[in-house]
Amino acid sequence: MSKILQVCQQAPVIPVLVLEQRGQARPLAEALVRGGLPVLEVTLRTPVALDAIRAMREVEGSVVGAGTVLTEQDVRAVKAAGADFIVSPGATERLLKAAQDAGLPLLPGAATGSEVMYLLEQGLDVLKLFPAEAVGGMALLRSLHGPLPQVSFCPTGGIGAGNAAAYLALPNVVCVGGSWVAPRAMLEAGDWAGIEQLAHDCQQLRNGRQA
Ligand code: 3PG
């Protein structure tokens, strides 16, 4: 089994995290791990992202990935920060090579049959469908499953408590990603108990029930 599949199989939801303050990292990771979501994606969209990855890795049980990884420099930086895996909205030859050279499992974005086929040729069969709802969502995943049943997806973009269970019920969905389990307002308020509850609610999703 590939390393990225092992990562994706650990929880039904990968929280997509946008952190504005370094101090949010540790309590946020603790809340999500306590709630049952140990696999975390810290997006490289804010100045504190690399510090946040370092801080979150210290939380027992966490598996900390870097998201919005676009360039070779990004790969080197997140490797140095200790990231366990990489997520990207798409894929380029340079990014694939950099991830391979760094020895970091990669979850690359794909949105079309050709993109999926290209990544399959590179030996990657666990992909992020992005931006999931915008490119066709569940209908697209059902359609891709016919000719490309060997590919598993982590749909991300537009997923929330209302549709996550339906996505997870599809045969080619291994997990989903989304920001709804760490909303900006709760982060700013330091509402860690609330975020833990949102994470806990995700445990019900695997059974096909709504959160
Ligand atoms: C993103 O790009 O921020 C992720 O795809 C998460 O999307 P979401 O906010 O719709 O969950």
Side-chain angles (χ1 to χ4, degrees), residues 14 16-18 41 43 45 68 89 128-133 155-160 177-181:
I14 300 179
V16 176
L17 307 172
V18 182
E41 177 189 334
T43 60
R45 297 183 203 171
T68 325
K128 164 174 163 163
L129 181 74
F130 180 80
E133 282 282 289
T156 306
I159 316 286
S179 61
W180 87 94
V181 283

Side-chain angles (χ1 to χ4, degrees), residues 2 4-14 41 87-91 106-120 124-133 135-157 159 164-178 206:
S2 69
I4 197 67
L5 183 57
Q6 286 174 11
V7 169
C8 288
Q9 284 183 336
Q10 288 189 43
V13 178
I14 300 179
E41 177 189 334
V87 186
S88 178
L106 172 66
L107 183 63
T112 67
S114 290
E115 290 170 5
V116 173
M117 287 169 62
Y118 167 75
L119 290 164
L120 267 179
L124 295 161
D125 60 5
V126 182
L127 311 177
K128 164 174 163 163
L129 181 74
F130 180 80
E133 282 282 289
V135 297
M138 286 182 269
L140 176 57
L141 286 163
R142 282 192 200 95
S143 300
L144 290 172
H145 185 58
L148 297 159
Q150 68 273 53
V151 182
S152 298
F153 291 93
C154 170
T156 306
I159 316 286
Y167 272 95
L168 287 162
L170 297 175
N172 53 348
V173 170
V174 61
C175 64
V176 301
R206 276 265 190 249

Side-chain angles (χ1 to χ4, degrees), residues 11-189:
V13 178
I14 300 179
V16 176
L17 307 172
V18 182
L19 291 182
E20 300 292 346
Q21 296 169 34
R22 190 202 177 287
Q24 295 170 332
R26 189 174 180 100
L28 174 60
E30 288 172 345
L32 291 166
V33 171
R34 270 199 310 270
L37 299 182
V39 182
L40 313 174
E41 177 189 334
V42 180
T43 60
L44 296 188
R45 297 183 203 171
T46 59
V48 303
L50 293 173
D51 277 345
I53 290 170
R54 288 190 196 93
M56 288 182 159
R57 284 194 76 245
E58 290 172 14
V59 174
E60 194 177 343
S62 67
V63 179
V64 184
T68 325
V69 174
L70 307 178
T71 67
E72 295 148 303
Q73 292 93 315
D74 289 344
V75 173
R76 283 196 289 272
V78 304
K79 170 87 175 175
D84 295 308
F85 67 100
I86 296 175
V87 186
S88 178
T92 67
E93 276 180 39
R94 285 162 68 170
L95 182 70
L96 297 183
K97 182 172 185 318
Q100 192 169 28
D101 290 349
L104 279 169
L106 172 66
L107 183 63
T112 67
S114 290
E115 290 170 5
V116 173
M117 287 169 62
Y118 167 75
L119 290 164
L120 267 179
E121 283 184 357
Q122 310 306 312
L124 295 161
D125 60 5
V126 182
L127 311 177
K128 164 174 163 163
L129 181 74
F130 180 80
E133 282 282 289
V135 297
M138 286 182 269
L140 176 57
L141 286 163
R142 282 192 200 95
S143 300
L144 290 172
H145 185 58
L148 297 159
Q150 68 273 53
V151 182
S152 298
F153 291 93
C154 170
T156 306
I159 316 286
N163 59 4
Y167 272 95
L168 287 162
L170 297 175
N172 53 348
V173 170
V174 61
C175 64
V176 301
S179 61
W180 87 94
V181 283
R184 187 187 182 93
M186 289 173 91
L187 283 172
E188 283 175 358

